[in-house]
Amino acid sequence: MPESRAPPPAGAIERVAQLRKEIETHNYRYYVLDEPSIPDAEYDRLLRELTDLERRFPALVVPESPTQRVGAEPAAGFRTVPHMVPMLSLENAFSEEEVKAFDRRVRERLGSDNEIRYSAEPKLDGVAVGIRYENGILVRAATRGDGTSGEDVTQNIRTISSVPLRLMSDAPPVTLEVRGEVYMPRSGFAEMNKRAQARGEKVFVNPRNAAAGSLRQLDPRVTAIRPLRVFFYGIGEVSGWNMPATHSETLSRLAEWGLCTNPLSTVVVGTAGCVGYYERVGQLRANLPYEIDGVVYKVDALRSQRQLGTVSRAPRWALAHKFPAQEEVTIVEAVDFQVGRTGVITPVARLRPVFVGGVTVSNATLHNMDEVVRKDIRIGDSVAIRRAGDVIPEVVRVLRERRPADAQAIEAPSRCPVCDSDVRKVDGKAIIRCSGGLFCPAQRKEALKHFASRRAMDIEGLGDRVLEQLIDRELVSTPAELFRLTVEELAELDRMGEKSAANLQRAIDRSRTTSFPRFLLALGIPEVGEATAQALAEYFGDLLPLQEASEEELQKIPEIGPIVAAEISAFFRQRHNREVIRALQRAGVHWPSAMAASANAADDFKGLSFVVTGKLETMTRDEARQQIRQRGGKVVESVARQTSYLVCGDKPGSKLAKAESYGVKVLNEVQFLKLLQRNDDE
Ligand code: IVH
């Protein structure tokens, strides 16, 4: 369609205004409410219609139109802009005592005997920006800089889709400078780095650096494709607006105008409220989609804030309560090679002990030799160690500038460090495996630990210590031999009385009656975890057809791809594995047949997905999961928007909060039992 010089018809003017409003509303629903109401394709259609109309009638284009996010040409540099209201920093606290001292100072200065109400918010780990709106239109954005002036990053900020170019208000303030943190969600960061690595480009060390680097791009077209987001947490300069009385209300106003505020922000009372919040958010931390390094408490009443004022560069009314660092630097003192259950040999760094993420860490996995080469780790190197939540500590990177002259390269062993068997490479990758199989004591130990574990044969009392003794004393070398152990033999072991020996023997005896999926898991077939074992059991019903299945047949199961199929088929082809199975069956290991099991199975839960969390009274979580699967339901690990139900026991942790925030139905144990019964009765 040719562009028109004639004044645009009234119909086009109206339609353009309507489209912009609709698009802004969808942005608001998507970014602020986290509740998208239309499919992406529909959104794209609205945007395309607007682009077309603007192309036909260029007179209708305005800078705040949603089509105008990426407009500018690359800049030669960033201009410096002064902050009308300085951008302050925060005082830090690392302990409860420091929080109490802060609260005491606040109360003294305010002359208050009452408990203080604080706005409590997560402390985002990103880049601070101030964004200025005049009569509701975005006119300028600047980084914090030295606090009094920063860099003009307007063109880059405009490319961030979650930042409104126009506020959703009929009567916006005359001027309003909002302040917030630009950050990169973890998922976007991982994806971006993966792509950069594939192209042989530089990868970013962490999401914070990635956010900072993306924001400081001279070419806004580059910023536009980086997955940046902003959470707003305050205001700077403001005029022509009746300020609310509290900070928390200010945040609500910002959200109503389409400025994304953090959903975990809330109001707490007194230091007990603050510390409770710190702990709650600390629990959620590892599972949040973005990185935070602490929480912030702000005196909620703006009058009190003004009364308290500012010292040097930080306000007296706010405090950052930091989490223990998740990243620390230490030295690699040695590298050992550990042999796992399937013979995979993993390099493990022995570290000079360092306190990180709240615990002392002295080992970190190096995953495999590829990783060692890629990160160029040597013995003697200073390395950054990271520990997030319950995750195994990892080496993030080497501090090359600190490498000593005698740093020693790490070499992959050519023989198994435990049994001296040959070492084989796994399909050309950097993964190496001991070829000793069950001849290798390390593999034997791990295989037996796995066999006895809770999710497999579930033999209570047969822990790592007992198993290690049984193997070292050569009382047991295969799983079937466990069933021949006598009370007398068990009682001989260290720290094992007559009574616990008898209990253990009974537990071993009881475990003979098991289920098919548990048995499959216990065999320790490479690549076969709980979900795959379950899928195999459901598909084949019993052992015989599974043992005979071809790789093609195996791949008919949706969960199973060519690699897993090859492992399963190879496992059952090995004579000694069939031998192990026969020996177990001779020892009396058995499970109810498929016919009996399917008699009470139904598919009432078909199409429903469940997450089970917390401690249940009447059953274990695994039993609850089994009940769900038996009724055709799907059990998943983490709560998503599509999850049908969260079954929630005592002390649920972060999954409950997530379910509530997504509006996923939560069932307590009684409700869950009722649901099970209803399906039994029908
Ligand atoms: S308030 C006067 N709230 O932390 C108050 N800051 O160490 C100044 N930050 O420069 C900021 N999350 O970049 C505030 N919820 C939050 C925050 C937050 C992260 C950053 C911000 C600031 C730095 C101070």
Side-chain angles (χ1 to χ4, degrees), residues 101-164:
F102 162 77
D103 175 68
R104 211 175 308 121
R105 287 196 303 274
V106 166
R107 274 184 293 127
E108 269 167 24
R109 284 203 165 254
L110 294 176
S112 165
D113 293 330
N114 296 332
E115 295 228 86
I116 306 288
R117 294 169 67 83
Y118 292 102
S119 172
E121 308 159 13
K123 185 169 190 302
L124 270 294
D125 204 4
V127 185
V129 288
I131 304 180
R132 193 179 161 93
Y133 290 88
E134 285 175 4
N135 299 310
I137 307 289
L138 189 157
V139 295
R140 174 131 5 275
T143 60
R144 175 162 170 250
D146 63 4
T148 47
S149 61
E151 287 177 325
D152 184 337
V153 287
T154 313
Q155 296 310 329
N156 290 344
I157 287 291
R158 288 176 59 93
T159 68
I160 304 176
S161 336
S162 65
V163 174

Side-chain angles (χ1 to χ4, degrees), residues 88-90 92 121-124 127-128 144 181 233 296 298 315 317-318:
L88 302 172
S89 61
L90 291 168
N92 287 326
E121 308 159 13
K123 185 169 190 302
L124 270 294
V127 185
R144 175 162 170 250
E181 199 84 350
Y233 52 64
V296 183
K298 300 171 185 171
W317 43 263

